[in-house]
Amino acid sequence: MTHQIAVIPGDGIGQEVTPAAVDVLEAVDAEFEFVEGDAGDAVKEATGEALPQETRDIAAESDATLFGAAGETAADVILPLREVVGSFANVRPAVSYPGLDAVQPDTDLVFVRENTEGVYSGIESEIADGVTTLTRVITEDASREIAEFGFDYAEENGYDDVTIAHKANVMRTTDGEFLEAAEAVAKERDADYDTALMDALAMHLIMHPEDYGVIICPNLAGDVLSDLAAGLVGGLGLLPSANVGTDNALFEPVHGSAPDIAGEGVANPSAMILSAAMLLDHLGYDEQGDRVRDAVETVLDEGPRTPDLGGDASTEEVTQAV
Amino acid sequence: MTHQIAVIPGDGIGQEVTPAAVDVLEAVDAEFEFVEGDAGDAVKEATGEALPQETRDIAAESDATLFGAAGETAADVILPLREVVGSFANVRPAVSYPGLDAVQPDTDLVFVRENTEGVYSGIESEIADGVTTLTRVITEDASREIAEFGFDYAEENGYDDVTIAHKANVMRTTDGEFLEAAEAVAKERDADYDTALMDALAMHLIMHPEDYGVIICPNLAGDVLSDLAAGLVGGLGLLPSANVGTDNALFEPVHGSAPDIAGEGVANPSAMILSAAMLLDHLGYDEQGDRVRDAVETVLDEGPRTPDLGGDASTEEVTQAV
Ligand SMILES: CC(C)[C@H](C(=O)O)[C@@H](O)C(=O)O
Ligand SMILES: CC(C)[C@H](C(=O)O)[C@@H](O)C(=O)O
């Protein structure tokens, strides 16, 4: 069976790392048809729209989407794309690889981030001159759904530690709802879990990442804590992510378009290739996904390496090595 | 001139570290009158109120307040206390000390956290069954005030790097207001500064804390990023904080009541004693404040050390050494 994959390189290094991931997908034993779409600063400049309707349609109709990165328009591209694919869970593994100079070499974390609400619900206004408000929304349904997903993920991927992150001591009603719904899910399944205030968790993750496994988070907490974990393992160049919905999904590196190094051909393609490996898992090609991850791990260990990891190899050389 | 200091030990290790700070204040060359107040879980148990009116009055009437920690009732104590003293700025230095096993030994950061609004404005409701909302408030006035304070602080304390943290790509109106107001202040003073998305900043702070100095943050961003910095320098046992208002101020360690070690007499008093040093600065005893900081630094370097830092000394021994 041939799967249709939407490919949206976007801006900056997105243009360099996305073809690398496509090369890898073409090399594995699976049938894909790639359909390319535009998004980001460049297409906005040309057409006035950062995410043209045609690109939305391509993503909506495909079995999965690979997205690279966008520049200034990142939020205008990625937030609607996450909606187009109906994704409710943003899955962000942060693993430190042997041989790399990580701040914490014992990190093996997976952030399971709620992907639809929280402060991202986007209801804002200037209610008086110089007085602005944002309505943060947390629902029982979305909180239950992300918790179900998180506990399933932990079980299927062999993680013993599940932590529910929150700030319910301050956001008593909204994060109170999140916490209550997530704890209810854990209890129904008789699953072990811990809860942690997101501020204290930030500290503990840095000092003792080895004490944690899967971390179920409200939207913004997942945004910040997963970037924190990127800092522990050696930078955003290594973190893939999956935005998972019921019938569709979007895969993207956690990094952005990196305008400082764009066009030089030296961007680290690892996060993007690891995102493609998550796409393989998602479509049922688990074995192929594992092989890609093993290949990335071997190359990270033995080289060649891109400059962000202290090497001098190009995106192309690293991709060929994988 | 004698200054009146409200002393509110609170719960858990608050009961152990607060007397340590009072001992230090009694040993320096300055005149203080100490008035003690109750707050926290124990007084709530006894009277139904975590923060009795009498304690509020003591804090309101004193020249400054020293607060230890509270347990389950922490938010019920500390948030109103911050209001009682009229504090708009929460100042949290995170410095790594020589000789301690820090994740990042080159850390010298000061978080200047907005202390009155953001998600802490606390306007929440359950608007339908299982649907909850919180109204986040950001005003131009409070944003300008914290930015003014942050740039003043940087100048007075010799920090060259000032960073404005925000998430204005998602919270466009509210963090847009924060960012615009803070940048306007910088431009009026012709001050150098950078801006950073709070998620990306979390990563960069972990990998390269030496690139940053003073970080001006909205309320929750300051909460999370300062705990992150605690993780970099060796834990919350070392971080003091000042809640600064126009005519009054409250000094507290960033750590909580640590029920796991409370009652054993081994709590690290450093954060609390360093908070007392910030109190000395605040009341104009700069020289005494510096001497206390030097003493803490010497003891951290040469010992004795409490168990959280790998030593086996008691709170009392460390305090006497200082
Ligand atoms: C670009 C931005 C809207 C996005 C987010 O906040 O989700 C990014 O930071 C991420 O984490 O993918
Ligand atoms: C106890 C809690 C309300 C408080 C806060 O969120 O401000 C604490 O985390 C802190 O940082 O002092």
Side-chain angles (χ1 to χ4, degrees), chain A residues 167 169-170 199, chain B residues 74-75 78-79 82 92 113 120 223 252:
Chain A
K167 184 82 188 176
N169 59 341
V170 170
D199 49 334
Chain B
I78 190 61
L79 300 182
R82 287 178 187 158
R92 304 186 151 190
R113 168 183 175 190
Y120 287 72
D223 179 48
E252 47 159 347

Side-chain angles (χ1 to χ4, degrees), chain A residues 98-180:
Chain A
L100 286 188
D101 185 25
V103 173
Q104 286 292 17
D106 270 337
T107 306
D108 181 356
L109 300 168
V110 182
F111 295 86
V112 172
R113 166 183 177 191
E114 200 287 319
N115 218 17
T116 67
E117 54 186 35
V119 299
Y120 286 72
S121 47
I123 311 162
E124 290 188 292
S125 50
E126 176 156 10
I127 56 171
D129 193 33
V131 180
T132 63
T133 62
L134 177 148
T135 304
R136 178 176 196 259
V137 178
I138 299 280
T139 65
E140 184 182 356
D141 286 351
S143 304
R144 280 194 63 91
E145 196 169 28
I146 195 69
E148 299 271 10
F149 185 94
F151 281 104
D152 282 345
Y153 186 96
E155 212 175 292
E156 284 159 20
N157 294 276
Y159 286 93
D160 292 330
D161 296 304
V162 178
T163 305
I164 302 166
H166 68 95
K167 184 82 188 176
N169 59 341
V170 170
M171 301 189 273
R172 295 179 187 204
T173 306
T174 50
D175 267 14
E177 178 76 59
F178 184 84
L179 182 60
E180 195 181 310

Side-chain angles (χ1 to χ4, degrees), chain B residues 183-206:
Chain B
E183 290 199 87
V185 167
K187 281 169 193 151
E188 283 159 26
R189 314 176 150 222
D190 209 12
D192 279 343
Y193 70 98
D194 276 309
T195 67
L197 288 164
M198 67 180 286
D199 50 333
L201 183 58
M203 181 188 78
H204 289 298
L205 283 173
I206 293 174

Side-chain angles (χ1 to χ4, degrees), chain A residues 74-75 78-79 82 92 113 120 223, chain B residues 167 169-170 199:
Chain A
I78 190 60
L79 301 181
R82 287 178 187 158
R92 303 185 153 192
R113 166 183 177 191
Y120 286 72
D223 179 48
Chain B
K167 182 83 189 175
N169 59 341
V170 170
D199 50 333

Side-chain angles (χ1 to χ4, degrees), chain B residues 39-102:
Chain B
D41 297 359
V43 58
K44 181 166 183 183
E45 185 108 332
T47 69
E49 277 197 299
L51 185 65
Q53 186 60 42
E54 201 193 322
T55 308
R56 286 174 198 251
D57 292 343
I58 292 173
E61 286 155 15
S62 295
D63 296 306
T65 297
L66 267 185
F67 170 64
E72 292 295 316
T73 56
D76 300 315
V77 173
I78 190 61
L79 300 182
L81 268 183
R82 287 178 187 158
E83 239 181 283
V84 164
V85 301
S87 66
F88 59 86
N90 189 327
V91 184
R92 304 186 151 190
V95 180
S96 41
Y97 292 97
L100 286 186
D101 186 25

